[in-house]
Amino acid sequence: MPPSADLPLLPGGDHVGMIVGFNPSHPVATAAAIDARWREAVTKGMKIGRVQMDWVDLEPAPNVYKKEALRAQLATLSRDGLAPFLSVISFENDELPLPSDLAPRIASGELGYDSPEVLERHAKLLDWVVPLLREHHGWALALGNEPGNFLENLPTAADREKVTAQILGFVAAARAKIHALEPKLAVTVTVSEGRNPWEIANGVDLEVPFLKIGDVASFNFYGTRFDEDLNLLNDTDPARLKSRIDAMLAGVGDLPVVFQELGAQAGPDAGTSVTGSSLASQQQFFEVIFGELRSRAQLRAAYVFQLVDWSPALVEEFFSAPFRRDGVPESFIRQYAESLETVGLIRYRDGTARPAWNTFLDAL
């Protein structure tokens, strides 16, 4: 079956898109640069976009829906002719991004993800989400993000096995519902390429059961690796990257593949990078991956994570401060902060473009 038939709502060939980022505000020059770079990408030929919202964002209370919040984001992409990949997240990291009445009951174990009450509520959500997505020419819907990071926070292996089975049941029911509403819409769960520090330390890969449960395999893929001491380090050697892609594809069989997040940090403009990164290594990462995207028919789309760096304040609030409270080593905190504060194709402080921006344009 040709790749275009595997994802019937996505035009044939390979596609590259991006997300802007998560900062609540930007310096004036950076905000102007974001608008200019977005317009440049659309003019150059960008055809796909991505929207991510939690279930609770769309249903904050029982049967109370915020349809316009989703409609507005999809409409923004539609105005630029971009076909959306939508993530409506029901499990991610250590969060329960669920409606206010369901989250505590699942956290306590009163309900499972595959409980009839949960499945019925989620089906009612999909009754309006799927038609709205198709109205805006959406081609895929992801139900969760990196379930391994969620599962690792459970206390025992038995708990992880039980909840894994529940989530798989939830995904199977949701996929059946989505296909009943729109048979051509691709359904997936996004997993992390490679293992996180907890999985490495415990010798497991919690995301293997989620690799082939959908219509498309969706990955978060970064130019980093963890060494034996769990340091976060640059990993952009071309041979290594191609080997990682080989291993990734071996795990998903014949499924088409999308990179939901594709990113590499550039390191600081001055001084020594604590991850061993540079402008050249960031650019090399994208050159290699976009080359693979063009040459491997199974790789269908990639979303650069992200256009602009995370701001230092946002990294401190959401990662560095919580890491310190949890006793995470300061060396890792610095590495993680650098990876987010220099992950953009343009800089947070002034909006100037890094060399990888031109690589992205060339890929379009």
Side-chain angles (χ1 to χ4, degrees):
M1 181 179 296
S4 60
D6 294 341
L7 295 172
L9 299 178
L10 180 69
D14 58 273
H15 297 271
V16 176
M18 63 178 171
I19 66 168
V20 170
F22 301 100
N23 300 315
S25 62
H26 297 93
V28 173
T30 306
I34 289 170
D35 291 340
R37 298 290 78 76
W38 185 268
R39 297 257 56 86
E40 187 178 7
V42 170
T43 300
K44 187 74 173 179
M46 186 168 68
K47 298 297 184 185
I48 58 172
R50 187 166 81 81
V51 172
Q52 179 168 324
M53 302 186 77
D54 290 340
W55 181 357
V56 68
D57 295 329
L58 300 177
E59 187 186 359
N63 303 309
V64 175
Y65 300 120
K66 290 191 172 182
K67 298 182 181 180
E68 290 310 309
L70 177 57
R71 185 186 302 276
Q73 292 203 42
L74 293 174
T76 297
L77 298 181
S78 291
R79 284 194 293 269
D80 287 329
L82 306 181
F85 176 111
L86 172 64
S87 296
V88 176
I89 302 300
S90 300
F91 46 90
E92 178 180 36
N93 297 328
D94 57 352
E95 303 170 359
L96 284 172
L98 308 170
S100 58
D101 63 314
L102 296 181
R105 297 170 68 194
I106 287 183
S108 70
E110 176 188 347
L111 291 175
Y113 266 92
D114 58 349
S115 299
E117 182 177 348
V118 176
L119 298 182
E120 180 181 354
R121 285 279 294 282
H122 193 247
K124 290 178 67 176
L125 181 80
L126 294 172
D127 275 332
W128 64 266
V129 167
V130 171
L132 185 59
L133 178 59
R134 287 300 301 128
E135 177 187 332
H136 291 86
H137 308 289
W139 61 275
L141 175 57
L143 301 169
N145 186 61
E146 295 188 348
N149 291 339
F150 170 68
L151 294 166
E152 72 179 51
N153 289 288
L154 300 175
T156 69
D159 291 319
R160 290 188 285 276
E161 183 176 351
K162 179 180 73 174
V163 175
T164 294
Q166 291 175 358
I167 293 176
L168 291 172
F170 171 87
V171 172
R175 184 184 181 203
K177 173 68 175 181
I178 292 165
H179 284 170
L181 294 167
E182 173 48 80
K184 296 180 180 180
L185 188 65
V187 181
T188 190
V189 170
T190 299
V191 300
S192 176
E193 181 274 331
R195 295 184 297 169
N196 66 30
W198 186 94
E199 291 173 316
I200 293 171
N202 288 274
V204 298
D205 188 340
L206 298 175
E207 297 192 332
V208 168
F210 301 91
L211 290 177
K212 295 191 285 189
I213 61 172
D215 308 297
V216 56
S218 176
F219 286 92
N220 295 334
F221 192 105
Y222 287 90
T224 52
R225 66 178 176 87
F226 295 100
D227 69 7
E228 61 274 8
D229 297 318
L230 303 184
N231 291 299
L232 181 66
L233 300 176
N234 177 275
D235 190 21
T236 56
D237 173 75
R240 275 272 306 159
L241 291 174
K242 293 176 183 181
S243 175
R244 288 168 58 188
I245 291 176
D246 287 340
M248 182 187 71
L249 294 181
V252 301
D254 295 330
L255 284 178
V257 172
V258 58
F259 296 115
Q260 185 213 232
E261 296 178 11
L262 183 71
Q265 69 271 12
D269 289 326
T272 302
S273 167
V274 295
T275 63
S277 303
S278 65
L279 293 174
S281 69
Q282 183 192 48
Q283 186 174 28
Q284 177 175 264
F285 172 82
F286 286 111
E287 288 174 346
V288 172
I289 301 301
F290 291 152
E292 295 297 293
L293 191 69
R294 287 189 295 269
S295 64
R296 301 195 194 214
Q298 193 172 354
L299 303 179
R300 296 299 315 284
Y303 291 95
V304 172
F305 186 97
Q306 48 198 39
L307 174 59
V308 63
D309 300 330
W310 291 62
S311 73
L314 195 64
V315 174
E316 176 66 26
E317 177 184 356
F318 282 96
F319 294 101
S320 299
F323 282 169
R324 289 191 186 96
R325 288 195 296 269
D326 291 341
V328 174
E330 193 65 29
S331 58
F332 180 84
I333 293 174
R334 289 195 300 270
Q335 292 162 359
Y336 202 81
E338 178 183 285
S339 73
L340 294 176
E341 291 173 19
T342 69
V343 75
L345 299 180
I346 67 174
R347 297 171 177 85
Y348 168 76
R349 68 171 186 271
D350 58 10
T352 54
R354 295 188 170 102
W357 170 251
N358 288 325
T359 303
F360 172 75
L361 290 180
D362 289 343
L364 292 173

